[in-house]
Amino acid sequence: MVNKIFTGLVAAGIPLSIAGKFLHWDKGLMFVIYCLTIIALSSFMGRATESLAIISGPRIGGLLNATFGNAVELIISIFSLQAGLVGVVLASLTGSVLGNLLLVGGLSFFIGGLKHKRQSFNVYDARHNSALLIFAVVVAFVIPEVFSMSMTKAQTLHLSVGISIILIVLYLAALLFKLVTHRGAYNVPGDTAGHEEETPEWSKAKAITVLALSTLAVAFVSEALVHTFNHIGETLGWTELFIGVIIVAIVGNAAEHASAIIMAYKNKMGVAVEIAVGSTLQVAMFVAPLLVLVSLFLPHSMPLVFSVPELVAMIAAVFLTISISNDGDSNWFEGATLLAAYFIMAIGFYLL
Amino acid sequence: MVNKIFTGLVAAGIPLSIAGKFLHWDKGLMFVIYCLTIIALSSFMGRATESLAIISGPRIGGLLNATFGNAVELIISIFSLQAGLVGVVLASLTGSVLGNLLLVGGLSFFIGGLKHKRQSFNVYDARHNSALLIFAVVVAFVIPEVFSMSMTKAQTLHLSVGISIILIVLYLAALLFKLVTHRGAYNVPGDTAGHEEETPEWSKAKAITVLALSTLAVAFVSEALVHTFNHIGETLGWTELFIGVIIVAIVGNAAEHASAIIMAYKNKMGVAVEIAVGSTLQVAMFVAPLLVLVSLFLPHSMPLVFSVPELVAMIAAVFLTISISNDGDSNWFEGATLLAAYFIMAIGFYLL
Amino acid sequence: MVNKIFTGLVAAGIPLSIAGKFLHWDKGLMFVIYCLTIIALSSFMGRATESLAIISGPRIGGLLNATFGNAVELIISIFSLQAGLVGVVLASLTGSVLGNLLLVGGLSFFIGGLKHKRQSFNVYDARHNSALLIFAVVVAFVIPEVFSMSMTKAQTLHLSVGISIILIVLYLAALLFKLVTHRGAYNVPGDTAGHEEETPEWSKAKAITVLALSTLAVAFVSEALVHTFNHIGETLGWTELFIGVIIVAIVGNAAEHASAIIMAYKNKMGVAVEIAVGSTLQVAMFVAPLLVLVSLFLPHSMPLVFSVPELVAMIAAVFLTISISNDGDSNWFEGATLLAAYFIMAIGFYLL
């Protein structure tokens, strides 16, 4: 049923987006149309990636998921960078981290917990992810923030590039670890998350076609979306920060959000956590550093230096997520705690 | 025996407090009398609450403990707010957090550990509490601190009010979780903390009378105490910060301190930890936000913005407590570590 | 074989150091000679301490290791303090913490993990060490940093002295706990780390002679080394910070590094972790506070106040190490994560 809604949204959204863009419809209306269209398109991209992953087997599949999983966010960000909106890009990266950990994680735990008294997931994976969250946010994001305070712009950029390369290398090493050298080494008895036999929804040819077309469409709509930010901000009194942290992040990750919550409801908490935390790590260790490197070829280079509120919010979110998820057990109250933290931060960014 | 001392202190303290106040005795002497009287009265309030809790059954009882447990602190704080001493209130909230986690927790672990080689307590409760400590201190206290740096006073107050409401709602949700939806769901085999059959010390009528009278008396003495702070600070060279963080916090929590340590000595470490950490959470998630909301109706409103040393000390205390208590096992050395941290902070606040 | 190399290095290094110093050879060359000689000498000191520890039994042995383990670092630091290089001393203390946790810990996990799929070590020791890391770095180092921002120099020094005394007392209490009151209380079945029968390499007389002569030689070479820093910094464009954090720290700890990695390769991961983390705690809880106290008798007193980048790097390293080592299980990827964090910080200090 969800799929039908998304199909309808795409069928209506793409012509409306094209029409609205060239006929200069009201920017507030177009902002809504663009957002809904991107959400629907990203659900198609998710399904296509999923089919390809099943067809290609776990190793290549894991790699596909790990690289295409945040393709929408990457595309929006590159267009934003080209438009010189470095602040929006950093804000939307922050928003992805906060949204995945607190909103998606929180909704999964909360809604899953309303149906199931206690839910469990692989404690080894939780710890592996905890260490990487600390590495990415508390080491790799904090160091340039603090060190750049007594650095020139050039030094800050050198440091950012160095850290970005290290982040991507470690991200690839994590894939090697999970998919090759230690595949299945940390399984918990009875934990079958993702190990069921799966049949692809689409054939290889269809999946590739859908992926290519959706990506093109997302690129087109994203480019248009980015140019409505200014108007939306002025009309609704939203700051660039709030648009980036809350709105862009929700639009860019909505499809993933939906599937994580559905998995939690089905008591497949391992998959839900993998989506929420795995997606965060992908953003922090792959999308963010890749954007730093890509920005070197664009007019405005982007150092890996977040604003202090952004960084502090991410650190707080990481510590809260770790302290809640590290035992491999969840319930509705833990979900409520994560959601409460998200609301606190959303109010903060709204008022800032 | 402890009870007899407190009865004597109340019998002597109340007339002396009244006499001293109206006859304008030396403020240094009165400061000592007020402090001792409040400590003794709060022990009566504790016993009355305990009796009422046993009579009303675990659900209402838990609610009573969770709301009346820090009544003394709430009363002192409201009088301080009315006297415009916002800084003292924030400092005494900080002091409650530090005192409960490091001093009470430390003394419990240390004294209990001198008698028993290893003591254990429910590891699930410890983790539940850890997550809430992170939520309250690292999320809800840190966000307004950092965000308010680039906010107007009005925005800071809006953010404080929003966060306060979220804190209180989550505190009530935690009670719902513990007392209703998941009561007993996380019990550890052989863990009988607080599940023994208990007989109330006083009848319902007597308990309510004692609670009402003690509360009135505490209110009277607290109001008088608050007006000695200035004089004490000048005479002894103590800063407002030191009075708030160390002195008020010890006076306001002394009765609880005593019972936690007695429980630890009796090897009921679960109860001792529940008092130390539970009381901290009550202060952070209920008393502090309630004071923010109450202050809106007083001449001086209080934003949820601590001074940087206060906040950093609380964060450090939270991380240390979590790393020590998260395994559900304690010994004398872990107590010594918590006490050492308390001394370091006390020296810091004394010199500041 | 390693021992033979070190013997050769000492045999060549000491005469070359003496000759070079008095004949004023090129300072760049002398810097290299001094560093290699110190590394070789400290390996002799390590072997002598080890022999004495085995001869004296576990209690006195533990004490010997705990006090002589970082003798080289202590000696270099005292000479640096005497030369007024307070900044270099704080930097080299930082470097010891970062180097032991991230470089030694990382290399041990990585190289051990290349040979063994999963390695384990005592989870109780890991948690005990975690709590002390938080205590030392997040409490005892952070409090003076933050509080000193609104303190006079005299107050900062008072606070530093108070904290230093508390650190040393707690360090001695930790030895009492580990070697006397709770010796063996937290053993894990099958964990034999360090409990094998050992025969001393040297007799008591020989060990004492070697220890005394090596210490004298280290003192002589260290004093000479310190006076090459200025020249090296100017020639290579290295900052005082980079020399202290990276170079001095590696030279001062090289011998320990080697033995930790060898132990990890032999699958004695408990010993490797004990060297890496135990050595960090020794630096943070014994060497650093001792240097603060010693500095009171020298022309330049040293407060316990690191630079912000130093402190933040140490905090990040502590949280990463804890999140990786707290489960008592390691693999090559966890080592790679620690090493990646070290490289990020090294780049940061190089560019700063």
Side-chain angles (χ1 to χ4, degrees), chain B residues 223-288:
Chain B
E223 202 271 334
L225 172 70
V226 166
H227 291 98
T228 64
F229 288 165
N230 242 328
H231 176 262
I232 288 297
E234 279 168 23
T235 314
L236 298 181
W238 292 353
T239 59
E240 202 183 56
L241 204 60
F242 183 73
I243 293 177
V245 174
I246 307 296
I247 307 302
V248 176
I250 289 180
V251 172
N253 294 292
E256 278 169 308
H257 293 201
S259 49
I261 295 160
I262 290 167
M263 287 299 164
Y265 191 76
K266 288 183 182 167
N267 209 14
K268 296 186 180 176
M269 193 46 92
V271 184
V273 170
E274 191 53 40
I275 295 175
V277 182
S279 186
T280 307
L281 290 173
Q282 211 176 102
V283 167
M285 298 183 67
F286 186 69
V287 176

Coordinates of all heavy atoms in Angstrom, one line a residue, chain B residues 223-288:
Chain B
E223 N 13.0 29.8 54.3 CA 12.9 31.2 54.0 C 13.9 32.1 54.8 O 14.5 33.0 54.3 CB 11.4 31.7 54.3 CG 11.0 32.9 53.5 CD 11.3 34.2 54.3 OE1 11.4 34.1 55.6 OE2 11.5 35.2 53.7
A224 N 14.0 31.7 56.1 CA 14.9 32.4 57.0 C 16.4 32.1 56.6 O 17.2 32.9 56.5 CB 14.7 32.0 58.4
L225 N 16.6 30.8 56.2 CA 18.0 30.4 55.8 C 18.5 31.1 54.6 O 19.6 31.6 54.6 CB 18.0 28.9 55.5 CG 19.3 28.3 54.9 CD1 20.4 28.2 55.9 CD2 19.0 26.9 54.3
V226 N 17.6 31.3 53.7 CA 18.0 32.0 52.4 C 18.6 33.4 52.7 O 19.6 33.8 52.0 CB 16.8 32.1 51.4 CG1 17.1 33.0 50.3 CG2 16.5 30.7 50.9
H227 N 18.0 34.0 53.7 CA 18.5 35.4 54.0 C 19.8 35.4 54.8 O 20.2 36.5 55.2 CB 17.4 36.2 54.7 CG 16.2 36.5 53.8 ND1 15.1 35.7 53.7 CD2 16.1 37.4 52.7 CE1 14.3 36.2 52.8 NE2 14.9 37.2 52.1
T228 N 20.4 34.3 55.2 CA 21.7 34.3 55.8 C 22.8 34.1 54.9 O 24.0 34.3 55.2 CB 21.8 33.2 56.9 OG1 21.7 31.9 56.3 CG2 20.6 33.3 57.9
F229 N 22.5 33.7 53.6 CA 23.5 33.4 52.7 C 24.5 34.5 52.4 O 25.7 34.3 52.4 CB 22.9 33.0 51.3 CG 22.2 31.7 51.3 CD1 21.4 31.3 50.3 CD2 22.4 30.8 52.3 CE1 20.8 30.1 50.2 CE2 21.8 29.5 52.3 CZ 20.9 29.2 51.3
N230 N 24.0 35.7 52.2 CA 24.8 36.9 52.0 C 25.9 37.1 53.1 O 27.0 37.2 52.8 CB 23.9 38.1 52.0 CG 24.0 38.8 50.6 OD1 25.0 38.7 50.0 ND2 22.9 39.4 50.2
H231 N 25.4 37.0 54.3 CA 26.2 37.2 55.5 C 27.3 36.2 55.6 O 28.5 36.4 55.8 CB 25.4 37.3 56.8 CG 26.2 37.4 58.0 ND1 26.5 36.4 58.8 CD2 26.7 38.5 58.6 CE1 27.2 36.8 59.8 NE2 27.4 38.1 59.7
I232 N 26.9 34.9 55.4 CA 27.8 33.8 55.5 C 28.9 33.9 54.5 O 30.1 33.7 54.7 CB 27.0 32.4 55.3 CG1 26.2 32.1 56.5 CG2 28.0 31.3 55.0 CD1 27.0 31.9 57.8
G233 N 28.4 34.2 53.2 CA 29.4 34.4 52.2 C 30.5 35.4 52.5 O 31.7 35.2 52.3
E234 N 30.0 36.6 53.0 CA 31.0 37.7 53.3 C 31.9 37.3 54.5 O 33.1 37.5 54.4 CB 30.2 38.9 53.7 CG 29.8 39.7 52.4 CD 28.8 40.8 52.7 OE1 28.8 41.3 53.9 OE2 28.0 41.2 51.9
T235 N 31.3 36.6 55.5 CA 32.1 36.3 56.7 C 33.2 35.3 56.4 O 34.3 35.4 56.8 CB 31.2 35.8 57.8 OG1 30.1 36.7 57.9 CG2 32.0 35.8 59.1
L236 N 32.7 34.2 55.7 CA 33.7 33.1 55.5 C 34.4 33.1 54.2 O 35.2 32.3 53.9 CB 32.9 31.7 55.6 CG 32.2 31.4 57.0 CD1 31.5 30.1 56.9 CD2 33.2 31.4 58.1
G237 N 34.1 34.1 53.4 CA 34.8 34.2 52.1 C 34.3 33.2 51.1 O 35.0 32.8 50.2
W238 N 33.1 32.6 51.4 CA 32.5 31.6 50.5 C 31.8 32.4 49.4 O 31.0 33.3 49.6 CB 31.5 30.7 51.2 CG 32.2 29.8 52.2 CD1 33.5 29.6 52.4 CD2 31.5 28.9 53.1 NE1 33.7 28.7 53.4 CE2 32.5 28.3 53.9 CE3 30.2 28.6 53.4 CZ2 32.2 27.4 54.8 CZ3 29.9 27.7 54.4 CH2 30.9 27.1 55.1
T239 N 31.9 31.9 48.1 CA 31.2 32.5 47.0 C 29.7 31.9 47.0 O 29.4 30.9 47.6 CB 31.8 32.1 45.7 OG1 31.8 30.7 45.6 CG2 33.2 32.6 45.6
E240 N 28.8 32.7 46.4 CA 27.5 32.2 46.2 C 27.5 30.8 45.6 O 26.7 30.0 45.9 CB 26.8 33.2 45.2 CG 25.3 33.2 45.3 CD 24.7 34.2 44.2 OE1 25.0 34.0 43.0 OE2 23.9 35.1 44.6
L241 N 28.4 30.6 44.6 CA 28.5 29.3 44.0 C 28.8 28.2 44.9 O 28.2 27.1 44.9 CB 29.6 29.4 42.9 CG 29.5 28.5 41.7 CD1 28.3 28.7 40.9 CD2 30.7 28.7 40.8
F242 N 29.8 28.4 45.8 CA 30.2 27.4 46.8 C 29.1 27.1 47.7 O 28.7 26.0 48.0 CB 31.5 27.8 47.5 CG 32.0 26.8 48.5 CD1 32.6 25.7 48.0 CD2 31.8 26.9 49.8 CE1 33.1 24.7 48.9 CE2 32.3 26.0 50.7 CZ 32.9 24.8 50.2
I243 N 28.4 28.2 48.2 CA 27.2 28.0 49.1 C 26.2 27.2 48.5 O 25.6 26.2 49.0 CB 26.7 29.4 49.6 CG1 27.7 30.1 50.4 CG2 25.4 29.2 50.3 CD1 27.2 31.5 50.8
G244 N 25.9 27.5 47.2 CA 24.8 26.8 46.5 C 25.2 25.3 46.2 O 24.5 24.4 46.5
V245 N 26.4 25.2 45.6 CA 26.8 23.9 45.1 C 27.1 22.9 46.2 O 26.7 21.7 46.2 CB 28.0 24.0 44.2 CG1 28.5 22.6 43.8 CG2 27.7 24.7 42.9
I246 N 27.7 23.4 47.3 CA 28.2 22.4 48.3 C 27.2 22.5 49.5 O 26.7 21.5 49.9 CB 29.6 22.7 48.7 CG1 30.5 22.7 47.5 CG2 30.1 21.7 49.8 CD1 30.6 21.4 46.7
I247 N 27.0 23.7 50.1 CA 26.3 23.8 51.4 C 24.8 23.5 51.2 O 24.3 22.6 51.8 CB 26.5 25.2 52.0 CG1 28.0 25.5 52.2 CG2 25.8 25.2 53.4 CD1 28.8 24.5 52.9
V248 N 24.1 24.3 50.4 CA 22.7 24.1 50.2 C 22.4 22.7 49.8 O 21.4 22.0 50.3 CB 22.1 25.1 49.2 CG1 20.6 24.8 49.0 CG2 22.3 26.5 49.7
A249 N 23.2 22.1 48.9 CA 23.0 20.8 48.4 C 23.1 19.8 49.5 O 22.3 18.8 49.5 CB 23.9 20.5 47.2
I250 N 24.1 19.9 50.3 CA 24.2 18.9 51.4 C 23.0 19.0 52.4 O 22.4 18.0 52.8 CB 25.6 19.1 52.1 CG1 26.7 18.7 51.2 CG2 25.6 18.3 53.4 CD1 28.1 18.8 51.8
V251 N 22.7 20.3 52.8 CA 21.6 20.5 53.7 C 20.3 19.9 53.1 O 19.5 19.2 53.8 CB 21.4 22.0 54.0 CG1 20.1 22.2 54.8 CG2 22.6 22.4 54.8
G252 N 20.0 20.2 51.8 CA 18.8 19.8 51.2 C 18.6 18.3 51.0 O 17.6 17.8 50.8
N253 N 19.8 17.6 51.0 CA 19.7 16.2 50.7 C 20.2 15.3 51.8 O 20.3 14.1 51.7 CB 20.6 15.9 49.4 CG 20.0 16.5 48.2 OD1 18.9 16.1 47.7 ND2 20.6 17.5 47.7
A254 N 20.5 15.9 53.0 CA 21.2 15.1 54.1 C 20.4 13.9 54.5 O 21.0 12.8 54.7 CB 21.5 16.1 55.2
A255 N 19.1 14.0 54.6 CA 18.3 12.9 55.1 C 18.5 11.7 54.2 O 18.7 10.6 54.6 CB 16.9 13.3 55.3
E256 N 18.3 12.0 52.9 CA 18.4 10.9 51.9 C 19.8 10.3 51.9 O 20.0 9.1 51.8 CB 18.2 11.5 50.5 CG 16.8 11.7 50.1 CD 16.7 12.5 48.8 OE1 17.3 13.6 48.8 OE2 16.1 12.0 47.9
H257 N 20.9 11.2 52.1 CA 22.2 10.7 52.1 C 22.4 9.6 53.2 O 22.9 8.5 52.9 CB 23.2 11.8 52.5 CG 23.3 12.9 51.4 ND1 24.4 13.7 51.3 CD2 22.5 13.2 50.4 CE1 24.2 14.5 50.3 NE2 23.1 14.2 49.7
A258 N 21.9 9.9 54.4 CA 22.0 9.0 55.5 C 21.4 7.7 55.2 O 22.0 6.6 55.4 CB 21.4 9.6 56.8
S259 N 20.1 7.7 54.6 CA 19.5 6.4 54.4 C 20.2 5.6 53.3 O 20.2 4.4 53.4 CB 18.0 6.5 54.2 OG 17.8 7.5 53.2
A260 N 20.7 6.3 52.3 CA 21.4 5.5 51.2 C 22.6 4.8 51.8 O 22.9 3.6 51.5 CB 21.9 6.5 50.1
I261 N 23.4 5.5 52.7 CA 24.6 4.9 53.2 C 24.2 3.7 54.1 O 24.9 2.7 54.1 CB 25.4 5.9 53.9 CG1 25.9 7.0 52.9 CG2 26.6 5.3 54.6 CD1 26.3 8.3 53.5
I262 N 23.1 3.9 54.9 CA 22.7 2.8 55.8 C 22.3 1.6 54.9 O 22.7 0.4 55.3 CB 21.5 3.2 56.7 CG1 22.1 4.2 57.7 CG2 20.9 2.1 57.4 CD1 21.0 5.0 58.4
M263 N 21.6 1.8 53.8 CA 21.2 0.7 53.0 C 22.5 0.0 52.4 O 22.5 -1.2 52.3 CB 20.4 1.2 51.8 CG 19.0 1.6 52.2 SD 18.1 0.1 52.9 CE 16.7 0.9 53.7
A264 N 23.5 0.8 52.0 CA 24.7 0.2 51.4 C 25.4 -0.7 52.4 O 25.9 -1.8 52.2 CB 25.6 1.3 50.9
Y265 N 25.4 -0.2 53.7 CA 26.1 -0.9 54.8 C 25.4 -2.2 55.0 O 26.0 -3.3 55.3 CB 26.1 -0.1 56.0 CG 27.0 -0.6 57.1 CD1 28.3 -0.5 57.0 CD2 26.4 -1.2 58.2 CE1 29.2 -1.0 58.0 CE2 27.2 -1.8 59.2 CZ 28.6 -1.6 59.1 OH 29.4 -2.2 60.1
K266 N 24.0 -2.2 54.9 CA 23.2 -3.5 55.0 C 23.3 -4.3 53.8 O 22.5 -5.3 53.7 CB 21.8 -3.1 55.3 CG 21.5 -2.5 56.7 CD 20.0 -2.2 56.8 CE 19.7 -1.6 58.2 NZ 18.3 -1.1 58.2
N267 N 24.1 -4.0 52.8 CA 24.2 -4.7 51.5 C 23.0 -4.7 50.7 O 22.8 -5.5 49.8 CB 24.6 -6.2 51.8 CG 25.5 -6.8 50.7 OD1 25.9 -6.0 49.8 ND2 25.6 -8.1 50.6
K268 N 22.1 -3.7 50.9 CA 21.0 -3.5 50.0 C 21.4 -2.4 49.0 O 20.9 -1.3 49.0 CB 19.8 -3.0 50.7 CG 19.2 -4.1 51.7 CD 17.9 -3.6 52.3 CE 17.5 -4.7 53.3 NZ 16.2 -4.3 54.0
M269 N 22.4 -2.8 48.1 CA 23.0 -1.8 47.3 C 22.0 -1.2 46.2 O 22.1 -0.1 45.8 CB 24.2 -2.4 46.6 CG 25.1 -1.3 45.9 SD 25.5 0.1 46.9 CE 27.0 -0.4 47.7
G270 N 21.1 -2.1 45.8 CA 20.0 -1.6 44.9 C 19.3 -0.4 45.4 O 19.0 0.5 44.6
V271 N 18.9 -0.5 46.7 CA 18.2 0.7 47.2 C 19.1 1.9 47.3 O 18.6 3.0 47.0 CB 17.6 0.3 48.6 CG1 16.8 1.4 49.2 CG2 16.8 -1.0 48.6
A272 N 20.3 1.7 47.7 CA 21.2 2.8 47.9 C 21.4 3.5 46.5 O 21.4 4.7 46.4 CB 22.6 2.3 48.4
V273 N 21.7 2.7 45.5 CA 21.8 3.3 44.1 C 20.6 4.0 43.7 O 20.6 5.1 43.1 CB 22.3 2.2 43.1 CG1 22.2 2.8 41.7 CG2 23.6 1.7 43.5
E274 N 19.4 3.4 44.0 CA 18.1 4.0 43.6 C 18.0 5.4 44.2 O 17.5 6.3 43.6 CB 17.0 3.1 44.0 CG 15.7 3.4 43.4 CD 15.7 3.6 41.9 OE1 16.4 2.8 41.2 OE2 15.1 4.6 41.3
I275 N 18.4 5.5 45.5 CA 18.3 6.8 46.2 C 19.2 7.8 45.5 O 18.8 8.9 45.2 CB 18.6 6.6 47.7 CG1 17.5 5.8 48.4 CG2 18.6 8.0 48.4 CD1 17.8 5.5 49.8
A276 N 20.5 7.4 45.4 CA 21.5 8.3 44.8 C 21.1 8.7 43.4 O 21.0 9.9 43.1 CB 22.9 7.7 44.9
V277 N 20.9 7.8 42.5 CA 20.7 8.1 41.1 C 19.3 8.6 40.9 O 19.0 9.6 40.2 CB 21.1 7.0 40.2 CG1 20.9 7.4 38.7 CG2 22.5 6.5 40.4
G278 N 18.3 7.9 41.6 CA 16.9 8.3 41.4 C 16.7 9.7 41.9 O 16.0 10.5 41.2
S279 N 17.3 10.1 42.9 CA 17.2 11.4 43.5 C 17.8 12.4 42.5 O 17.3 13.5 42.3 CB 17.9 11.5 44.8 OG 17.7 12.7 45.4
T280 N 18.9 12.1 41.9 CA 19.5 12.9 40.9 C 18.6 13.2 39.7 O 18.4 14.3 39.2 CB 20.8 12.3 40.3 OG1 21.7 11.9 41.4 CG2 21.5 13.2 39.4
L281 N 18.0 12.1 39.2 CA 17.1 12.2 38.1 C 15.9 13.0 38.5 O 15.4 13.8 37.6 CB 16.6 10.8 37.6 CG 17.7 10.0 36.9 CD1 17.3 8.6 36.7 CD2 18.2 10.7 35.6
Q282 N 15.4 12.9 39.7 CA 14.3 13.7 40.2 C 14.6 15.2 40.1 O 13.8 16.0 39.7 CB 13.9 13.3 41.6 CG 12.5 13.4 42.0 CD 12.3 12.9 43.4 OE1 12.1 13.7 44.3 NE2 12.3 11.6 43.5
V283 N 15.8 15.5 40.6 CA 16.2 16.9 40.6 C 16.3 17.4 39.1 O 15.8 18.5 38.8 CB 17.6 17.1 41.3 CG1 18.2 18.4 41.0 CG2 17.4 16.9 42.8
A284 N 17.0 16.6 38.3 CA 17.3 17.1 36.9 C 16.1 17.1 36.0 O 15.9 18.0 35.2 CB 18.4 16.2 36.3
M285 N 15.1 16.1 36.2 CA 14.0 16.0 35.3 C 12.7 16.5 35.8 O 11.7 16.6 35.1 CB 13.9 14.5 34.9 CG 15.1 13.9 34.2 SD 14.8 12.2 33.6 CE 13.5 12.4 32.4
F286 N 12.7 16.8 37.2 CA 11.4 17.3 37.7 C 11.6 18.6 38.5 O 10.9 19.6 38.2 CB 10.8 16.2 38.6 CG 9.5 16.5 39.2 CD1 8.4 16.5 38.3 CD2 9.3 16.7 40.5 CE1 7.1 16.8 38.8 CE2 8.0 17.0 41.0 CZ 6.9 17.1 40.1
V287 N 12.5 18.6 39.5 CA 12.6 19.8 40.3 C 13.2 21.0 39.4 O 12.6 22.1 39.4 CB 13.6 19.6 41.5 CG1 13.8 20.9 42.2 CG2 13.0 18.5 42.4
A288 N 14.2 20.8 38.7 CA 14.8 21.9 37.9 C 13.8 22.4 36.8 O 13.6 23.6 36.8 CB 16.1 21.4 37.2

